[in-house]
Amino acid sequence: MGYQLELRHFTYFLAVAEELHFRKAADRLFISQPGLSRQIKQMEEIIGADLFVRNNRSVSLTAAGHYLKKELAFIFNHIDFTIKHTRLINEGSNGEIRVGFLGSAIQTVIPEILINVNSTYPNIKFSLEEMSNYDQVEAIEKDQLDLGFVRLSRVPKGIQMKVIHTDTFSLVLPDNHLLTKDTFTSIKQVENEHFILFSSNYSSLYYDKIVSICEDKGFTPKVSHKSVHAQTIYKLVESGLGVAIVPTSLQHGFNLGVKFLEIPKIPQRAVLSVIWKEDNRNPALHRIMQFL
Amino acid sequence: MGYQLELRHFTYFLAVAEELHFRKAADRLFISQPGLSRQIKQMEEIIGADLFVRNNRSVSLTAAGHYLKKELAFIFNHIDFTIKHTRLINEGSNGEIRVGFLGSAIQTVIPEILINVNSTYPNIKFSLEEMSNYDQVEAIEKDQLDLGFVRLSRVPKGIQMKVIHTDTFSLVLPDNHLLTKDTFTSIKQVENEHFILFSSNYSSLYYDKIVSICEDKGFTPKVSHKSVHAQTIYKLVESGLGVAIVPTSLQHGFNLGVKFLEIPKIPQRAVLSVIWKEDNRNPALHRIMQFL
DNA sequence: CTAATTGATAACCCACAGTTATTGAATGAT
DNA sequence: ATCATTCAATAACTGTGGGTTATCAATTAG
């Protein structure tokens, strides 16, 4: 009494259940027959059920034994798979990477990376969450996130950053606006319009950069609305509430009454970077680093 | 080298994974801390994966450890059930079905099912436990439960759901309230009363539905109390602390100073569903499926 | 009858799970 | 700085119980 069931018991039971012969089962397990007999007996005592009928000349399974045999086969397979899978996760071949991103990055860069990673490591899964620059940095420091897609110039100590995409800026105008691709030569032509920008605490670098585009040309933009979603910004532009400046690549995927005119002759670029924690312990992350 | 994994390792691992503290885990297991440390280390060697990160000051799970923890919880539940079931078969019973349910389902539907099953399969036993929607889903995924009675609109992948009962809603009033069956025409008549509802994290769909009944009629209910038990809610109503809205069938089985008025002309229904795991291996469950 | 084949029992042995005592590293308090 | 505290790892030990060999008891075959 007071013993515990162990996997050993299950292994032994399965051998006997398959051989229906203690001696042969013992041989298969490379142990002696009395040892096996005792373990099986102990197992029956622990469970509190007869598993075999010993006819003193032949061995057969009881109904309970039959059921147990079937279930244990399942359990062993499940355990085997689990152990194997655990090892794989440890090696980074399987696993999950938690990704944060700015809405303005989801159109171009991220999909490409995901597709590439998926073709080489189909077992690595992603969980995506849209977050502000600042929230991403915080989440990465807290190990709530493995990877962030941000627009930042600097990043706290302990966090790595790598530029992965630079983009020109485009002016967003309502479809019926006077300016066209041909007549648009400088951003100064819209200096009297109201500007709709991404909220500065969503991405302050981004905000400042757009303001600097205007200031370089000698005027300060009148910012009337701030928003977080490109969709919202375009809707406001379409409604005639103002104009906007966004990264050129952000024109894909929308169907609204606005037109995009690339701003010529400016040095500013929308820079998208990946960030991650130096001492991140997620093995899957290291696997996919090459794709960044 | 050459060791074997045993259930002991799993038990120890789970204790450490839950406590994240070797000493506390060792205390819980009634063994010494060095013994535990060694077993865990051995386990990591056998599996060939790091399961914990020991910072010499704190213990945390690796990605592989997280995965293993989740899977082992399932495996243990499955083994426990299998052993129990083996014993039941040995005793000549046909099995046991573990049922979870919302308190609001115990009055009407479940008793009928139990009576039906019992008359055909007198040897199938039930263990009933009252649980929230969310807990039931979790328990079913972990194989802690075979069947759940919930009020949900969606359910995770791998879980089956079937509607078994739809019910109208009734207003619960203290006996001495002015409104009667004849004068009650719209829920708007009680818009100034305080409402006592089931807690939203007990059953959020249910909560939202009741709020929507009011909002459809042009007002937002003032929710003053939230509770988990119908009994409690009725008691509060009886005490004059407010009114409540519950599924009509939930009026049976109580003897309190409250009256139930079915709410006329609303589309909302209280929908009760059964849920179970697609790949549930309990043979008794498959036998009783026809009764659902 | 004897010989062969089966699982159960008895008595012994040693591997290793679990013990106590200690170290070493990191943190917090004064 | 210095000391006390808190944690896991290491070292050296001990004794339970898994496994051993030897034997028995029961059945079947020739």
Side-chain angles (χ1 to χ4, degrees):
Chain A
M1 257 299 116
Y3 292 72
Q4 274 288 128
L5 271 187
E6 289 296 347
L7 290 180
R8 178 185 59 254
H9 293 112
F10 297 161
T11 317
Y12 292 0
F13 168 81
L14 275 188
V16 178
E18 276 159 25
E19 300 284 349
L20 291 178
H21 197 290
F22 276 77
R23 182 88 208 271
K24 285 179 194 163
D27 285 351
R28 202 172 97 178
L29 295 164
F30 301 108
I31 63 170
S32 66
Q33 172 265 313
L36 177 59
S37 284
R38 190 139 67 83
Q39 288 295 308
I40 295 290
K41 194 181 171 190
Q42 194 188 76
M43 183 176 174
E44 288 180 315
E45 273 165 16
I46 298 172
I47 295 182
D50 302 323
L51 303 175
F52 295 104
V53 183
R54 284 88 147 174
N55 260 341
N56 221 336
R57 190 76 194 163
S58 71
V59 177
S60 62
L61 282 162
T62 62
H66 262 114
Y67 169 76
L68 191 62
K69 179 186 172 191
K70 207 180 107 219
E71 284 306 306
L72 285 185
F74 168 84
I75 289 169
F76 267 116
N77 281 329
H78 195 78
I79 290 177
D80 282 353
F81 175 80
T82 301
I83 300 302
K84 222 182 276 170
H85 203 243
T86 302
R87 196 158 27 220
L88 283 175
I89 292 176
N90 187 64
E91 289 162 3
S93 309
N94 286 46
E96 186 185 340
I97 296 175
R98 300 157 300 174
V99 179
F101 64 95
L102 291 174
S104 64
I106 196 63
Q107 291 303 330
T108 40
V109 189
I110 296 182
E112 287 167 37
I113 294 174
L114 297 195
I115 290 167
N116 284 338
V117 170
N118 194 252
S119 66
T120 335
Y121 298 113
N123 292 323
I124 292 183
K125 287 176 185 147
F126 290 90
S127 76
L128 292 163
E129 193 178 351
E130 187 174 345
M131 303 168 76
S132 75
N133 280 319
Y134 179 72
D135 287 348
Q136 287 186 57
V137 171
E138 226 184 17
I140 283 177
E141 284 185 322
K142 272 196 266 177
D143 197 31
Q144 252 171 20
L145 225 56
D146 296 307
L147 223 49
F149 287 86
V150 296
R151 300 186 192 277
L152 289 169
S153 47
R154 266 173 315 201
V155 108
K157 211 175 134 238
I159 291 187
Q160 295 275 320
M161 177 158 79
K162 191 179 172 187
V163 172
I164 49 161
H165 188 73
T166 60
D167 199 1
T168 55
F169 284 100
S170 283
L171 182 65
V172 190
L173 299 171
D175 266 343
N176 58 4
H177 195 279
L178 295 173
L179 271 182
T180 67
K181 203 171 181 178
D182 299 323
T183 60
F184 179 50
T185 54
S186 165
I187 191 71
K188 201 162 181 356
Q189 294 173 281
V190 290
E191 70 172 310
N192 292 319
E193 303 270 0
H194 287 266
F195 279 77
I196 301 156
L197 301 185
F198 281 102
S199 170
S200 61
N201 51 24
Y202 183 66
S203 179
S204 63
L205 178 77
Y206 196 50
Y207 184 88
D208 294 344
K209 205 167 259 181
I210 289 174
V211 171
S212 80
I213 291 175
C214 300
E215 286 176 338
D216 283 0
K217 299 295 173 186
F219 71 98
T220 304
K222 284 174 286 187
V223 179
S224 59
H225 293 83
K226 296 176 184 179
S227 180
V228 167
H229 291 283
Q231 172 85 27
T232 313
I233 291 176
Y234 298 163
K235 198 72 202 170
L236 293 171
V237 171
E238 182 186 31
S239 313
L241 288 166
V243 302
I245 294 175
V246 299
T248 304
S249 67
L250 208 55
Q251 66 188 272
H252 304 295
F254 296 97
N255 184 18
L256 286 160
V258 294
K259 54 185 174 188
F260 296 84
L261 306 180
E262 185 166 346
I263 305 173
K265 287 171 259 164
I266 57 166
Q268 286 88 353
R269 291 290 177 268
V271 177
L272 185 73
S273 307
V274 229
I275 56 172
W276 67 94
K277 215 175 165 202
E278 268 168 26
D279 57 353
N280 185 303
R281 302 195 131 268
N282 185 342
L285 181 63
H286 296 95
R287 272 292 157 93
I288 66 135
M289 272 316 199
Q290 48 175 308
F291 293 97
L292 299 179
Chain B
M1 260 302 117
Y3 292 71
Q4 275 288 126
L5 271 186
E6 289 296 348
L7 290 180
R8 178 184 61 252
H9 293 112
F10 296 161
T11 315
Y12 291 1
F13 168 79
L14 275 188
V16 179
E18 276 161 25
E19 300 282 349
L20 290 178
H21 197 290
F22 277 77
R23 237 203 83 128
K24 285 180 193 162
D27 285 351
R28 202 171 96 179
L29 296 164
F30 301 107
I31 62 170
S32 66
Q33 173 263 313
L36 178 59
S37 284
R38 191 140 66 81
Q39 288 297 308
I40 296 290
K41 195 181 169 188
Q42 194 188 74
M43 183 176 173
E44 289 179 314
E45 274 165 15
I46 299 172
I47 295 183
D50 301 323
L51 303 175
F52 295 103
V53 183
R54 285 89 147 174
N55 257 345
N56 216 337
R57 190 75 194 164
S58 71
V59 176
S60 60
L61 283 162
T62 62
H66 262 114
Y67 168 77
L68 190 63
K69 179 187 172 188
K70 207 181 112 223
E71 286 305 308
L72 285 185
F74 169 87
I75 289 169
F76 268 116
N77 281 324
H78 196 78
I79 290 177
D80 283 353
F81 178 81
T82 300
I83 299 303
K84 210 199 275 175
H85 204 254
T86 303
R87 196 159 28 222
L88 285 174
I89 293 176
N90 187 64
E91 288 162 2
S93 307
N94 283 326
E96 183 185 343
I97 296 174
R98 300 158 298 174
V99 180
F101 63 95
L102 291 174
S104 63
I106 196 65
Q107 291 304 329
T108 40
V109 189
I110 296 182
E112 287 167 36
I113 293 173
L114 297 195
I115 289 166
N116 283 338
V117 170
N118 195 251
S119 65
T120 334
Y121 297 113
N123 292 325
I124 291 182
K125 287 175 186 156
F126 291 89
S127 77
L128 291 162
E129 193 177 352
E130 186 174 344
M131 302 168 76
S132 76
N133 281 320
Y134 180 73
D135 288 347
Q136 286 187 59
V137 171
E138 228 184 16
I140 283 178
E141 283 184 323
K142 273 198 266 178
D143 197 30
Q144 248 172 23
L145 226 56
D146 295 307
L147 223 50
F149 287 84
V150 296
R151 300 187 191 276
L152 289 170
S153 46
R154 267 173 315 198
V155 107
K157 212 176 132 235
I159 292 187
Q160 295 274 321
M161 176 157 81
K162 192 178 171 187
V163 172
I164 49 161
H165 189 73
T166 60
D167 199 1
T168 56
F169 284 100
S170 283
L171 182 66
V172 190
L173 299 171
D175 267 343
N176 58 3
H177 195 279
L178 295 172
L179 271 181
T180 67
K181 204 171 180 178
D182 299 323
T183 59
F184 178 50
T185 54
S186 165
I187 190 71
K188 203 163 180 359
Q189 294 172 281
V190 291
E191 70 173 311
N192 292 320
E193 305 269 1
H194 287 267
F195 279 76
I196 300 156
L197 301 184
F198 282 101
S199 170
S200 62
N201 51 25
Y202 183 66
S203 179
S204 63
L205 178 77
Y206 195 50
Y207 184 88
D208 293 343
K209 204 167 260 182
I210 289 175
V211 170
S212 81
I213 291 175
C214 299
E215 284 176 342
D216 283 359
K217 300 292 172 189
F219 71 98
T220 303
K222 283 174 286 187
V223 179
S224 58
H225 294 81
K226 294 176 183 181
S227 181
V228 167
H229 291 282
Q231 173 84 28
T232 313
I233 291 177
Y234 297 163
K235 198 72 203 171
L236 293 171
V237 171
E238 184 185 31
S239 313
L241 288 167
V243 303
I245 295 176
V246 299
T248 303
S249 67
L250 207 57
Q251 66 186 272
H252 303 296
F254 296 97
N255 183 18
L256 287 161
V258 293
K259 55 185 174 187
F260 296 83
L261 307 179
E262 186 167 344
I263 304 171
K265 286 170 260 164
I266 57 165
Q268 286 87 352
R269 291 290 177 270
V271 177
L272 186 73
S273 307
V274 227
I275 57 171
W276 67 94
K277 212 171 167 212
E278 267 168 27
D279 57 353
N280 186 301
R281 300 181 60 83
N282 184 342
L285 181 64
H286 294 96
R287 235 170 296 152
I288 66 136
M289 271 317 200
Q290 49 177 306
F291 294 97
L292 299 178

